[in-house]
Amino acid sequence: MNTNDPPPPPNTDGRKSTDITVTNQDKTGTHAVPPAAVASSYRSSSNTALPELEKLISDKKEFSIATYLNYALQNLSTLSLQEKSNSDYEIPSEKMTHNKVEDDVSQRVMAELALSLQMQTQSCHDEIGRIGAELRAIVPRCSADLSRLKVGMENLKDDAKALLEAHIARRKSLAVYQGDRDDSLSGWDYEKDESKVHESGEDHHRLRERESSHHDDGRKETTARSSISSEQDLDMGGDRNDNGDNIDAADDDDNRRRSSFSFTPTTALETLSTLHALKHNLTSAKQVLVAASTYNQTLAKIPSLLNPSTIHQCVQAWMDLEHGAKALSGMPGKEQRQEEIQEIRQEILTLLKPVLLHALNKVDSRLGPLQTCVSLYQSLGEMPSLMDEYVKVRPSSVHKLWFDYRKLSVDKSSVGLNHVGDVTRDNVESIGDLEGIAQAPEEEEKDNDDVSMMHEDSNPSMNFITWLPTWYDAVLELLSEERRRAHAVFGAELAPEVMVKVLNQCFRPISSSFEKRLAALCGADAELMRSGGGQLFDAICRAYASTLQFLSVAYEQMVDFDTNTSSSMNVTTEGGAYDASSGNKTPIQLHLITLDTFAAIVSPFAAHQRNFAALESYYSGVSTRGLSTDLHKAVSGRLINSSDMQKSVEQLVSLATSIFPLVQGSLARYELMKCGFGISDGLDTIDKILSAHLGEISIAFHTLLANSLSIQKSCDPSYSNGFDEQQIHCALDVLKIAGDMRTQLDTFHENVRDRIRLLANRMEAAAEQRLELSKAMNQNRFNSSLVPDSLSVAEIEILLAIDIHGDGVDHDNSKKSPSITALRMRSKDVDMFENNLFPKSLDSLSRLIKNSQQFVFDICAAVPLHFLNDMYSLPIWSKEDNLLSNITSTSYGTLPQSYITQVGEHLLALVQALEPFASDKNALNVAISVMDGLEHVNLKYWRNFANALSHGHNDDDFINSLRRGENMKNSLLISTENEIEDEEDFLDENEVEAQQFCNQWLDVICSSVTGVLLENTMRIEYLTPKGCEHFCTDLNYIVNVLTALGVSGHPHPLLIHVLELLKLSAQELESRIINAPEDVYSLRNIETRLLQIRRQ
């Protein structure tokens, strides 16, 4: 039991507590009490232990699991000893209840658990003891190392101190010598000088003895220095007699003293350096001699070690042999030794190959043999070959899973059937061929791989695209397992590289198969697209998206590239550069290798990415053709009444804007497959889709307008009565469709601009990061901070796109990249009409807006234009006066004719028809966005009026001036102006906008009515006085109606001028024509024409 467990509760029954020990049964060991007997014995004491157990359980502060188990074991052990001594077990009563039996069983299980806990605790104690013993063995060795370092430092300190003292002593001796020379110049006292010499010699000798005392430790440098000092002392002392007196001549004393001061600290250090070099040379000589003496002996014993049982000794002998060869590198026979070492190395590798293969086969159950192989290969310097063998075996399970899908696909179909995107399978005669390939996935695939795997049920794309993420999950599971295993087998330094190689090996053998499966779904060339394969381009894009997600997760699954930073610091040079000779990859190198691996993984998609524009055009064309068909169906067919028209408009509302989800998908596919490269082609593809759809809507408007006008020309009573308000509402809904298209196109345009700006930023950041990594790698810099901890899908997407679509400038310099420059130009914040990304769509939108305006105008003005058509040919204009007509005119007055009253009533009813739509704020805001340029709808009526005047210059400027009535008031017969009371000051903003919207439509409709009325006036053949009277009445009526509408500029000045001219007599009109000056508005032509029709 754990010694830290709390003590068992006190023994309340007076029996002595006894611990239970668990021992294995051997020849002399004791037999444990049977569990059944233990449980039976424990049941007999449950009554006495129950109160204590209940007390222990009810106490929340003192209760613990250990206390409870100890107490249970105490009771159980006491019972076991008692029963063993009595050799008789109490037989439980047959009347024991079922609850007590369950309680006994629970107590027995609890006791068994306690025994297991005791055994595990003892095992932990043993492990702790082992670790403690190792620590106790390490600490003394560390202490000894520290002691040796301390002694070495003290010796260095003594050497420095001795050198300093010697230098100071020599300076003092030099000063004494200089003083003696000064004395000799003035006169030499032999006795005094001799005493000084003896004093100087004795002091210098004592200094040498003290200096030599610091170097008695036997070191060579200090011994050499002491020897030199002794020799110098002998030189300075000179020849002496038995009494120690100097007997040399006085003229030699100066030379001896000069030589005594020639030994300086610099010469001492040079001597130490020389001795150190001597020691190094002696050591090298020793190594060479040892290597020469052992090389042949080691070479001779290696053949006897070349067997599996002694492979470790063989590798060690080879290492000794290689070490000896390095020591003998300067000796003759170097090439022969290298050949011998290489030959033995190959024999060892040949012997290790079966051992390695066996270890790789057992790697799922045992790592020990593989770890042994790793150590041996590492000693031989063959880690790359071992890693290659390792990564070939690891992905076998995912390769089998890949080819099993193909085999299943072939089983479901018969070879030779035709399907969308199928390619005939050659040279595969049976399913057994497929199984053989699946059993050896590490081999490269043949050209006749698996392109017939698409012979599936109804939707092959969905089957493969749905299955592909499950295969990616299997690869991720393999990488997760490999992360742990590679770290345990190869260590932290090599594990990241192994992970990258395993990932590459997962895809390298199936790359060709992957590409053919994608080609079977959607061909990347024009021929396959014509056969219908382009319809599944969206499936290719979804497969690519799932591949990018897999790569992002796989990057996180790998061992972090900076885990070997601390262990690899020993392979950096003094300046911080990485030592490439170490063989380990830097984090930057591993990161770039990983990106290259990612590029190889997505290489099957490269053909589809490069041919994106054609594939997207084909795929989008298929999608939009169905939408165009629905548009035509919505407006085709004869409309019986206005309800049918309303249904058609409602269908148009839902179908018109349904193109934007399609172009949003096209934009998303462009970002996925191209990432900003080839922006012109990508935008042009989307532009064509939008432009074609807007053109289809315009065609639908024309068709709906023709069918709607047919209702008015039918026998519908609403037309004969002159007005159908529901048709006006439908027409305004058509205008709203155009407004919705413009609003959503503007929004989409800005969204695309934002996406392009984001793509430019991402591309620039990726290019700069890659450039920085390349510089760091070229400079062999060891800087793991440049390597990202993770890569998002967007980051991987742009990095791979640079490899596939980018040119040299895109890789080398982000500031000069043409792709980034093109994106920056497209993303400028300017007006949509100035820097439009979709010029074709903008032109189609302008046509659509004009068509919608024309649609509303034709519906609103159909009734008045119908009644004014051929008005000039009415017989009333040439009718002569008679008695009956005079009596009628005198009794009732001349009344407006029915055609003009229909026009007036319709114009007045338009106000009530427009107001409900204008009161809807949302609908009004959408419609106002497409109200610009509304005047074009009535230009043709004024142009017809100008043609009727026979004016020579019917250009647009003249027509617009004539339509607006500008600068002609001074030339008119009576200058009048319809003064409109300004009510905008009393209205809120919404009411003002609604009033302006209604007035815009009333303005163009009233202007058209005026133009048609003036044209027909000029085309009247003859106007009798009675007809002139009726015509003046009609004109006066319409002037009053236009005045009542309160629209600025109406009635038109020319209309009032014509009315006043008709009121003049023929003589007055002729006189006015004669006296009228020339004008630019053909007013004289109008007056002349009126005079002509009145005289005929």
Side-chain angles (χ1 to χ4, degrees), residues 355-393:
V355 179
L356 175 61
L357 295 178
H358 177 75
L360 291 176
N361 291 332
K362 300 295 182 180
V363 70
D364 292 331
S365 58
R366 296 176 61 192
L367 293 179
L370 183 58
Q371 291 173 334
T372 302
C373 291
V374 168
S375 63
L376 295 176
Y377 272 82
Q378 193 168 15
S379 300
L380 294 171
E382 284 293 325
M383 284 302 297
S385 61
L386 183 142
M387 292 168 62
D388 292 341
E389 293 294 334
Y390 178 80
V391 298
K392 286 181 182 179
V393 176

Side-chain angles (χ1 to χ4, degrees), residues 11 215 256 258 262 457 466 498 622 751 901 934 938 1011 1027:
N11 193 348
H215 302 278
R256 289 197 304 271
R258 288 181 179 274
S262 63
D457 297 336
T466 304
V498 173
V622 173
N751 182 31
T901 57
L934 188 60
N938 58 15

Side-chain angles (χ1 to χ4, degrees), residues 23-80:
T23 59
N24 296 327
Q25 181 180 354
D26 55 13
K27 295 180 180 181
T28 60
T30 60
H31 295 271
V33 180
V38 172
S40 176
S41 300
Y42 192 84
R43 286 196 298 269
S44 64
S45 64
S46 61
N47 294 330
T48 60
L50 184 58
E52 293 296 332
L53 290 176
E54 292 179 352
K55 180 179 179 181
L56 180 61
I57 293 173
S58 61
D59 192 347
K60 296 182 180 180
K61 296 182 179 180
E62 298 182 0
F63 175 78
S64 66
I65 297 175
T67 305
Y68 183 84
L69 292 177
N70 284 334
Y71 188 80
L73 289 174
Q74 175 191 1
N75 295 333
L76 181 61
S77 62
T78 304
L79 287 174
S80 299

Side-chain angles (χ1 to χ4, degrees), residues 612 666-679 682 759:
F612 170 81
S666 179
L667 178 63
R669 287 188 290 272
Y670 168 78
E671 293 181 13
L672 177 68
M673 305 296 283
K674 301 290 285 186
C675 296
F677 290 94
I679 184 64
L759 288 174

Side-chain angles (χ1 to χ4, degrees), residues 39-226:
S40 176
S41 300
Y42 192 84
R43 286 196 298 269
S44 64
S45 64
S46 61
N47 294 330
T48 60
L50 184 58
E52 293 296 332
L53 290 176
E54 292 179 352
K55 180 179 179 181
L56 180 61
I57 293 173
S58 61
D59 192 347
K60 296 182 180 180
K61 296 182 179 180
E62 298 182 0
F63 175 78
S64 66
I65 297 175
T67 305
Y68 183 84
L69 292 177
N70 284 334
Y71 188 80
L73 289 174
Q74 175 191 1
N75 295 333
L76 181 61
S77 62
T78 304
L79 287 174
S80 299
L81 293 174
Q82 290 178 355
E83 294 299 336
K84 187 174 182 180
S85 62
N86 296 332
S87 300
D88 187 15
Y89 298 108
E90 180 182 354
I91 300 175
S93 176
E94 296 179 354
K95 297 180 180 180
M96 181 179 294
T97 61
H98 179 68
N99 293 333
K100 291 184 178 181
V101 173
E102 292 183 352
D103 183 64
D104 293 341
V105 173
S106 300
Q107 293 294 340
R108 183 186 65 182
V109 172
M110 188 179 299
E112 293 175 353
L113 291 175
L115 292 176
S116 177
L117 178 62
Q118 180 182 6
M119 295 176 66
Q120 295 177 2
T121 304
Q122 185 61 37
S123 177
C124 292
H125 278 295
D126 295 340
E127 183 68 18
I128 292 172
R130 184 184 63 79
I131 296 173
E134 292 179 357
L135 292 176
R136 286 192 296 271
I138 292 172
V139 169
R141 290 197 296 270
C142 294
S143 178
D145 293 338
L146 291 175
S147 299
R148 285 191 293 271
L149 288 174
K150 183 177 180 181
V151 172
M153 293 299 292
E154 290 177 352
N155 292 334
L156 290 176
K157 183 178 179 181
D158 293 340
D159 291 341
K161 184 177 179 181
L163 289 173
L164 182 60
E165 290 177 351
H167 180 65
I168 294 173
R170 290 190 185 92
R171 288 178 62 89
K172 291 181 180 180
S173 301
L174 182 60
V176 173
Y177 169 73
Q178 187 66 30
D180 293 341
R181 290 295 302 270
D182 293 340
D183 293 341
S184 64
L185 294 177
S186 59
W188 185 15
D189 188 349
Y190 179 80
E191 294 179 357
K192 184 178 179 180
D193 184 68
E194 185 178 8
S195 64
K196 289 182 178 181
V197 171
H198 281 291
E199 273 184 22
S200 177
E202 290 176 359
D203 293 339
H204 194 64
H205 187 70
R206 286 195 299 268
L207 180 62
R208 289 294 179 265
E209 290 177 351
R210 184 166 60 251
E211 182 179 343
S212 61
S213 64
H214 291 288
H215 302 278
D216 292 336
D217 53 355
R219 293 184 301 230
K220 293 181 180 180
E221 293 86 349
T222 308
T223 303
R225 187 185 304 138
S226 300

Side-chain angles (χ1 to χ4, degrees), residues 173-317:
S173 301
L174 182 60
V176 173
Y177 169 73
Q178 187 66 30
D180 293 341
R181 290 295 302 270
D182 293 340
D183 293 341
S184 64
L185 294 177
S186 59
W188 185 15
D189 188 349
Y190 179 80
E191 294 179 357
K192 184 178 179 180
D193 184 68
E194 185 178 8
S195 64
K196 289 182 178 181
V197 171
H198 281 291
E199 273 184 22
S200 177
E202 290 176 359
D203 293 339
H204 194 64
H205 187 70
R206 286 195 299 268
L207 180 62
R208 289 294 179 265
E209 290 177 351
R210 184 166 60 251
E211 182 179 343
S212 61
S213 64
H214 291 288
H215 302 278
D216 292 336
D217 53 355
R219 293 184 301 230
K220 293 181 180 180
E221 293 86 349
T222 308
T223 303
R225 187 185 304 138
S226 300
S227 301
I228 295 172
S229 299
S230 300
E231 292 175 0
Q232 290 177 349
D233 288 340
L234 292 175
D235 293 338
M236 292 176 62
D239 295 333
R240 295 181 183 272
N241 54 18
D242 297 336
N243 296 325
D245 297 330
N246 193 345
I247 60 175
D248 291 338
D251 57 340
D252 295 333
D253 185 68
D254 182 62
N255 293 330
R256 289 197 304 271
R257 293 192 180 191
R258 288 181 179 274
S259 63
S260 65
F261 300 109
S262 63
F263 189 75
T264 63
T266 303
T267 57
L269 292 177
E270 291 177 354
T271 303
L272 288 175
S273 176
T274 303
L275 293 175
H276 178 73
L278 177 61
K279 178 183 177 180
H280 176 74
N281 293 333
L282 291 175
T283 303
S284 300
K286 178 182 177 181
Q287 292 177 353
V288 171
L289 293 175
V290 172
S293 62
T294 60
Y295 182 84
N296 293 331
Q297 181 180 358
T298 305
L299 182 64
K301 73 176 183 179
I302 284 180
S304 62
L305 299 176
L306 285 173
N307 57 77
S309 60
T310 59
I311 190 65
H312 294 81
Q313 294 85 342
C314 185
V315 172
Q316 183 62 42

